[in-house]
């Protein structure tokens, strides 16, 4: 497997591309958070309300502005509970939440926001599909939004989780249809999304069929019983046998 991996400093399809720093991932989140559903203006009308003194009609533009200012607020779980569920201290969680809440007052991030933020780190490629798959991995409830708890739980695994936890999370990313297996088509979709994100400005220059070549090599090695799918156990065992993949996982440990 190692002979087809990019040189040092490049993204390896079976490893996670370096996740954006937390401060950057939070940046710009607030203005594209989930819009309010069924919300009404928070302002209470005052003044005469009798039929003899009807209220003047309100400016539609002003009403729309007020609706846009109304956010769906989400209050996260208690810090003590998150501290018990993650590898962060209470103080670290306070710092993370303060920044998250400051940039995203509603407490949730939608997929479009996530895509726009991720695209900033790969200006020479198209990160939209990989961001889509990554967002789905963060969105554990599969409801189209990522809450602070979702984000910090994933961050805890990627930065401070055990090798098995990191590999299990990565397996879930590749298991697009969540049936407990990775088939060759799913692996191809993720790997192609990674190559699209990397763009054409790579060294050495990648051939057009490079994604398929990578998938053939990876899948052949991982599908140990040759049944056409890769199980979690096969995935973990194969990754642990590959020094390049193991080194890529260790990169996360020094981020925070």
């Amino acid at each position: 497997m190692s002979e087809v991996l990019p040189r040092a400093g490049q993204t390896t399809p079976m490893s996670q591309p370096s996740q954006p720093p937390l401060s950057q991932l939070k940046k710009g989140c607030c203005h594209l958070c989930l819009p309010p559903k069924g919300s009404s203006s928070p302002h209470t009308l005052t003044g005469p309300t009798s039929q003899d003194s009807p209220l003047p009609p309100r400016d539609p533009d002003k009403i729309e502005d007020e609706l846009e200012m109304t956010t769906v607020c989400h209050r996260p779980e208690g810090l003590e509970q998150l501290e018990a569920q993650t590898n962060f201290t209470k103080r670290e969680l306070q710092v993370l939440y303060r920044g998250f809440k400051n940039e995203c007052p509603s407490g949730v991030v939608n997929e479009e926001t996530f895509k726009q933020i991720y695209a900033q780190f790969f200006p020479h490629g198209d990160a939209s599909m990989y961001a889509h798959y990554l967002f789905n991995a963060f969105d554990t409830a599969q409801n189209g939004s990522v809450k602070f708890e979702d984000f910090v739980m994933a961050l805890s695994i990627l930065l401070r989780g055990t090798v098995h936890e990191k590999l299990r999370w990565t397996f879930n990313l590749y298991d697009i249809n969540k049936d407990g297996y990775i088939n060759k088509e799913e692996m191809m979709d993720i790997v192609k999304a990674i190559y699209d994100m990397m763009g054409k400005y790579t060294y050495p220059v990648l051939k057009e069929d490079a994604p398929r070549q990578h998938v053939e090599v990876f899948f052949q090695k991982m599908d140990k019983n040759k049944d056409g799918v890769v199980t979690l156990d096969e995935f973990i065992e194969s990754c642990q046998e590959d020094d390049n993949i193991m080194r890529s996982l260790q990169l996360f440990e020094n981020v925070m």
Side-chain angles (χ1 to χ4, degrees), residues 36 39-45 58-72:
S39 58
S40 59
S41 172
H43 301 284
T44 302
L45 300 178
R58 303 189 65 194
D59 185 349
D61 292 335
K62 185 176 181 181
I63 295 176
E64 183 176 351
D65 291 341
E66 290 175 350
L67 287 173
E68 290 179 352
M69 292 175 62
T70 307
T71 58
V72 177

Side-chain angles (χ1 to χ4, degrees), residues 87-97 160 256:
N87 297 311
F88 295 125
T89 65
K90 185 175 181 179
R91 174 58 181 165
E92 289 171 330
L93 288 168
Q94 289 174 331
V95 173
L96 288 170
Y97 180 65
R160 297 180 179 175
M256 289 186 67

Side-chain angles (χ1 to χ4, degrees), residues 25-241:
L25 194 52
K26 294 180 301 185
K27 183 179 180 182
C29 152
C30 57
H31 53 77
L32 279 174
C33 288
L34 289 180
K37 295 182 179 180
S39 58
S40 59
S41 172
H43 301 284
T44 302
L45 300 178
T46 59
T49 58
S50 67
Q51 295 181 352
D52 294 333
S53 302
L55 289 171
R58 303 189 65 194
D59 185 349
D61 292 335
K62 185 176 181 181
I63 295 176
E64 183 176 351
D65 291 341
E66 290 175 350
L67 287 173
E68 290 179 352
M69 292 175 62
T70 307
T71 58
V72 177
C73 294
H74 168 73
R75 182 181 296 276
E77 300 172 1
L79 290 182
E80 292 79 7
Q81 184 174 349
L82 286 177
E83 183 180 11
Q85 295 174 337
T86 68
N87 297 311
F88 295 125
T89 65
K90 185 175 181 179
R91 174 58 181 165
E92 289 171 330
L93 288 168
Q94 289 174 331
V95 173
L96 288 170
Y97 180 65
R98 188 177 299 118
F100 191 91
K101 187 67 174 178
N102 182 62
E103 294 295 338
C104 190
S106 71
V108 291
V109 181
N110 65 16
E111 183 174 340
E112 191 60 32
T113 303
F114 197 85
K115 286 182 176 180
Q116 292 191 11
I117 296 172
Y118 220 82
Q120 297 175 18
F121 300 92
F122 302 93
H124 299 300
D126 180 3
S128 59
M129 282 308 300
Y130 183 75
H132 166 73
Y133 295 130
L134 193 62
F135 181 87
N136 286 341
F138 275 86
D139 180 15
T140 55
Q142 298 298 299
N143 61 4
S145 65
V146 172
K147 305 187 299 293
F148 176 71
E149 297 96 314
D150 301 325
F151 183 74
V152 79
M153 291 287 285
L155 203 63
S156 173
I157 293 173
L158 293 174
L159 299 183
R160 297 180 179 175
T162 65
V163 169
H164 273 244
E165 288 173 336
K166 291 177 181 179
L167 290 176
R168 191 178 299 112
W169 196 92
T170 305
F171 179 88
N172 183 64
L173 171 67
Y174 276 77
D175 180 16
I176 297 175
N177 65 5
K178 309 306 178 191
D179 66 350
Y181 303 95
I182 300 174
N183 59 44
K184 189 175 291 187
E185 289 73 22
E186 288 175 319
M187 187 176 289
M188 184 64 195
D189 288 342
I190 298 290
V191 171
K192 186 178 185 307
I194 291 175
Y195 275 96
D196 289 344
M197 178 174 63
M198 293 166 63
K200 300 179 180 179
Y201 301 96
T202 58
Y203 180 82
V205 177
L206 298 172
K207 297 181 180 179
E208 187 174 346
D209 62 345
R212 185 165 298 280
Q213 289 180 357
H214 270 116
V215 169
E216 290 296 333
V217 173
F218 286 134
F219 204 86
Q220 182 177 2
K221 180 173 183 177
M222 291 185 170
D223 183 15
K224 295 184 178 298
N225 62 359
K226 309 305 176 186
D227 63 351
V229 294
V230 175
T231 65
L232 175 60
D233 290 339
E234 287 176 327
F235 183 84
I236 291 177
E237 181 180 351
S238 299
C239 289
Q240 288 182 316
E241 293 172 349

